[in-house]
């Protein structure tokens, strides 16, 4: 195995070249085949991954922990309220101590204007790789899984149109990290991205600028629209999902009022008909059924949400094997 990404942190796909990302996809496909054939893949025998979750998770925790088991290693679930982080232990001390014991540190920390800073601080202090399990800016493992899923469905991805559409889900304010990671990475693989978003739900300006620069460098396109339907029209792939109006306000009540202002931003069969005949519906889950999407769509033939969730396991196993092996 080529070791050039061994020891490398994974906090944003921006820090990885397309060639390095390709190696994740190639190994993920191989590991997926091996799992289906029942072949053991002990690439991380006796290795340990520490998984620090500041926020709730179903897919991320279970795919990382299961992935470590399948690679012959061990994933340890850590909750900050049961660690000395709860008594104020800083990132430097946590990072240095865990580095003396194990082989990788994975962190989910989505608090706005805190999470990404914390991950970067741990990464600076750590001598073992730090892997993002999502922060307030990026969710890179989700986007690896999304891309693998798209490639499995379509083969070549250059020239495909992907619509990233904001949806109205008033049950909680979700981070910006999924749409931001989508608009950053997909243009680098030749996909044309349309971001459909009400004005109050625009993403971080520096991320939108970087997405445009990525598209220009790769010969693809990145467009922003205030019209929900634009994400679907002639699209091959659509990811309609909710996030908070965090660039507009961090006030709780104002934020929820804004989410409620756009109840028609919900994916239904009428929207799916606007895309190409082979249009697929994607969502990282959990989805707010009935508000973000109708059951008919998410449970329908165009939905690939369970393939997408499964691929979290395969891409993360590849990522861990390449960085921690
Ligand atoms: N998509 C995703 O990250 O799911 P969880 O929040 O359940 O980990």
């Amino acid at each position: 195995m080529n070791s050039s990404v061994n020891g490398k942190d994974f906090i944003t796909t921006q820090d990885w070249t397309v060639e390095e990302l390709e190696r994740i996809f190639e190994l993920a496909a191989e590991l997926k085949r091996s799992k289906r054939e029942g072949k053991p893949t002990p690439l991380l025998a006796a290795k340990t991954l520490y998984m620090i979750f500041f926020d709730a998770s179903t897919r991320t925790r279970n795919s990382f922990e299961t992935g470590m088991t399948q690679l012959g290693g061990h994933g340890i679930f850590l909750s900050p309220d049961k660690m000395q982080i709860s008594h104020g232990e800083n990132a430097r001390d946590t990072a240095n101590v865990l580095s003396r014991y194990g082989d990788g540190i994975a962190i989910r920390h989505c608090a706005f204007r805190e999470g990404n800073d914390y991950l970067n601080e741990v990464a600076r202090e750590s001598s073992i790789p730090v892997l993002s399990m999502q922060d307030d800016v990026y969710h890179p493992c989700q986007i690896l899984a999304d891309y693998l899923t798209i490639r499995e469905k379509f083969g070549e991805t250059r020239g495909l149109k992907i619509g990233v559409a904001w949806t109205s889900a008033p049950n909680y304010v979700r981070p910006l990290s999924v749409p931001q990671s989508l608009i950053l990475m997909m243009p680098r693989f030749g996909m044309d991205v349309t971001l459909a978003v009400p004005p109050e739900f625009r993403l971080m300006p520096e991320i939108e600028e970087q997405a445009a620069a990525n598209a220009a460098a790769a010969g693809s396109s990145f467009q922003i629209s205030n019209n929900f339907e634009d994400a679907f029209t002639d699209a091959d792939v659509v990811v309609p999902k909710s996030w908070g109006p965090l660039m507009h306000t961090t006030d709780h009540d104002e934020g929820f009022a804004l989410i409620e202002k756009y109840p028609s931003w919900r994916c239904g069969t009428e929207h799916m008909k606007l895309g190409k005949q082979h249009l697929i519906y994607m969502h990282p889950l959990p989805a707010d059924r009935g508000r973000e999407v109708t059951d008919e769509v998410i449970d329908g033939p165009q939905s690939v949400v369970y393939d997408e969730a499964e691929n979290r396991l395969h891409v993360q196993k590849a990522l861990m094997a390449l960085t921690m092996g």
Side-chain angles (χ1 to χ4, degrees):
M1 187 183 298
N2 182 328
S3 63
S4 71
V5 294
N6 190 263
K8 193 173 168 85
D9 299 319
F10 188 66
I11 295 176
T12 166
T13 54
Q14 285 296 111
D15 294 337
W16 285 54
T17 65
V18 166
E19 292 70 30
E20 287 171 338
L21 294 168
E22 279 290 357
R23 288 177 52 206
I24 298 177
F25 299 125
E26 281 163 23
L27 182 57
E30 202 179 310
L31 290 168
K32 186 169 181 173
R33 264 195 309 277
S34 295
K35 181 170 185 297
R36 295 223 162 131
E37 290 165 6
K39 288 187 189 151
T41 52
L43 300 177
L44 293 179
K47 304 260 182 181
T48 302
L49 175 73
Y50 303 105
M51 308 183 300
I52 307 177
F53 279 93
F54 287 79
D55 302 283
S57 168
T58 295
R59 280 143 289 273
T60 304
R61 179 196 171 166
N62 290 294
S63 52
F64 265 102
E65 195 166 331
T66 305
M68 278 304 289
T69 305
Q70 292 176 3
L71 292 170
H74 183 47
I76 298 184
F77 174 79
L78 294 166
S79 179
D81 65 312
K82 300 285 188 295
M83 297 172 75
Q84 297 299 4
I85 293 172
S86 64
H87 292 144
E89 185 157 69
N90 67 14
R92 175 180 162 79
D93 293 346
T94 304
N96 274 281
V97 171
L98 294 181
S99 295
R100 300 289 179 104
Y101 300 151
D103 306 282
I105 303 173
I107 306 172
R108 167 169 283 194
H109 192 342
C110 299
F112 188 54
R113 302 290 190 208
E114 287 178 36
N116 183 252
D117 291 345
Y118 184 81
L119 264 74
N120 282 312
E121 204 180 337
V122 174
R124 273 193 301 276
E125 295 292 341
S126 170
S127 59
I128 55 178
V130 170
L131 310 178
S132 172
M133 299 194 293
Q134 187 177 21
D135 64 31
D136 54 321
V137 185
Y138 307 110
H139 195 353
C141 288
Q142 181 64 54
I143 276 50
L144 294 181
D146 291 2
Y147 183 73
L148 181 64
T149 309
I150 294 167
R151 198 143 87 173
E152 286 172 346
K153 302 297 173 196
F154 293 102
E156 173 61 41
T157 57
R158 178 159 289 279
L160 294 179
K161 172 179 171 177
I162 178 168
V164 179
W166 177 85
T167 57
S168 177
N171 56 348
Y172 67 98
V173 171
R174 293 160 175 80
L176 308 175
S177 46
V178 168
Q180 295 197 150
S181 295
L182 280 167
I183 68 168
L184 283 173
M185 199 186 88
M186 296 313 182
R188 296 176 70 198
F189 286 87
M191 297 181 71
D192 299 317
V193 177
T194 297
L195 173 68
V197 60
E200 302 91 339
F201 291 85
R202 288 283 292 265
L203 302 174
M204 292 176 172
E206 63 274 26
I207 299 286
E208 292 182 355
E209 281 163 25
Q210 189 60 62
N214 286 354
S220 54
S221 66
F222 172 61
Q223 298 175 41
I224 301 176
S225 162
N226 290 149
N227 179 8
F228 188 60
E229 282 74 18
D230 285 347
F232 295 82
T233 304
D234 294 328
D236 303 279
V237 179
V238 71
V239 189
K241 85 164 298 293
S242 182
W243 59 87
L246 296 166
M247 288 297 101
H248 183 81
T249 181
T250 51
D251 180 82
H252 180 271
D253 294 342
E254 193 186 350
F256 278 94
L258 284 169
I259 293 171
E260 291 284 19
K261 185 176 160 189
Y262 300 100
S264 66
W265 287 60
R266 180 186 70 157
C267 176
T269 48
E270 69 278 23
H271 301 113
M272 296 301 290
K273 285 182 188 144
L274 298 172
K276 298 213 178 87
Q277 206 159 11
H278 60 214
L279 174 65
I280 57 171
Y281 167 87
M282 302 184 79
H283 192 294
L285 304 177
D288 190 352
R289 286 167 173 260
R291 283 300 303 247
E292 293 191 270
V293 59
T294 61
D295 285 342
E296 205 178 350
V297 171
I298 195 168
D299 295 328
Q302 288 165 287
S303 173
V304 298
V305 295
Y306 300 137
D307 294 331
E308 186 182 357
E310 178 191 332
N311 280 336
R312 292 290 304 275
L313 173 72
H314 308 300
V315 294
Q316 289 160 200
K317 281 169 69 178
L319 173 68
M320 292 188 288
L322 289 167
T323 57
M324 294 165 55

